[in-house]
Every structure is written in structure tokens, then in C-alpha cells.
């Protein structure tokens, strides 16, 4: 919460990331939706606050180059639309670790709550 009582973008982002393990129990739609929303929210926050050091990581650069390679390979295939439709969304898997890294750096309680959600989803999966 911020001082004026409104909910901050960082806390919304933290909650959405924490909900991903529970949503994995429902099927692929909800976790993918939450991942995409988290990635867009992180891109918005990082551009607005000019936080670009997360993108200067060697792992991000390598994964991003690999993603560009996948897109280029899709453009050379016989079925371009079908191939691009399957390769473009992989960027969410490149950005999600950056989202988690950002939350670990900026939200002191994130790891504790994330662990609670992981354990809860694990026990729900065991019971079901």
C-alpha cells in the first residue's frame, strides 16, 4: 500500500506472481495469462522508473538473442504464421525471471509469501 491508501504496482505484481503456482493447478490458461500480465506490468514499471539494469544481465541477453533466432527461423519456415504464433510468446519466459528478480530486490516479504503459495499449491496438488 502506498501512503495515500492506493495499492502500488509493485504489490499487485507481487500478488500476481504469487498466484501463478496456485493457478498452475487449474490448467495452462490462467498461469499463462498471469505471466503475460506480470511481464507487461514489469515492462511498464521498468520503463516508467527507468530501471534498465535487469536487462543488462548476460543470461537475459543470451535468452533474448535465442528468441530473436527463433523468430528469424520462423520467418524462414514454410508455414510462417503458424511458426511465428508458436515462437513469439516465448518472450514471457525470458521476462518472468526478471520480474521475480525485481520483486526479490524490491519487496522484502515477497519470498516469504511466494513460499507460502508454493507450499499451499503443493498440498492442494497432493490432496487432489
Amino acid at each position: 500500500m502506498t501512503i495515500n491508501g492506493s495499492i502500488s504496482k509493485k504489490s499487485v505484481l507481487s500478488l500476481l506472481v504469487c498466484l501463478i503456482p496456485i493457478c498452475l493447478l487449474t490448467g495452462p490458461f490462467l498461469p499463462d495469462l498471469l505471466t503475460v500480465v506480470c511481464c507487461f506490468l514489469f515492462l511498464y514499471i521498468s520503463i516508467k522508473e527507468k530501471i534498465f539494469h535487469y536487462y543488462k544481465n548476460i543470461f537475459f541477453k543470451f535468452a533474448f538473442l535465442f528468441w530473436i533466432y527463433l523468430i528469424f527461423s520462423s520467418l524462414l519456415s514454410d508455414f510462417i504464421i503458424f511458426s511465428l504464433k508458436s515462437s513469439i510468446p516465448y518472450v514471457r519466459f525470458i521476462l518472468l525471471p526478471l520480474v521475480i528478480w525485481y520483486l526479490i530486490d524490491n519487496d522484502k516479504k515477497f519470498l516469504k509469501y511466494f513460499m507460502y503459495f508454493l507450499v499451499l499449491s503443493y498440498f492442494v496438488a497432493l490432496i487432489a
Side-chain angles (χ1 to χ4, degrees):
M1 301 275 293
T2 58
I3 294 174
N4 62 2
S6 65
I7 299 174
S8 69
K9 292 173 199 68
K10 182 177 62 174
S11 60
V12 169
L13 185 63
S14 179
L15 177 66
L16 292 176
V17 170
C18 286
L19 286 175
I20 290 174
I22 290 178
C23 288
L24 281 170
L25 300 172
T26 66
F29 175 72
L30 287 178
D32 286 345
L33 178 67
L34 285 178
T35 303
V36 169
V37 170
C38 289
C39 291
F40 279 128
L41 190 57
F42 172 71
L43 286 172
Y44 173 75
I45 291 170
S46 65
I47 290 170
K48 185 177 178 186
E49 296 180 5
K50 295 181 174 71
I51 305 170
F52 300 119
H53 69 277
Y54 294 106
Y55 303 107
K56 295 177 183 176
N57 186 345
I58 188 71
F59 298 111
F60 173 77
K61 290 178 183 178
F62 177 74
F64 188 75
L65 285 176
F66 182 70
W67 180 65
I68 296 296
Y69 167 75
L70 288 177
I71 291 176
F72 182 71
S73 175
S74 296
L75 292 173
L76 297 177
S77 73
D78 292 334
F79 305 101
I80 295 174
I81 299 298
F82 179 73
S83 185
L84 280 174
K85 196 165 73 170
S86 64
S87 62
I88 287 178
Y90 280 117
V91 73
R92 69 184 186 268
F93 299 118
I94 298 170
L95 292 175
L96 188 62
L98 297 181
V99 172
I100 294 172
W101 182 17
Y102 168 77
L103 289 173
I104 290 173
D105 284 349
N106 295 304
D107 190 0
K108 303 296 182 206
K109 298 178 182 180
F110 170 72
L111 281 177
K112 181 174 80 169
Y113 290 133
F114 189 67
M115 184 59 83
Y116 290 154
F117 279 95
L118 277 175
V119 169
L120 177 68
S121 62
Y122 180 73
F123 283 125
V124 169
L126 279 176
I127 292 170

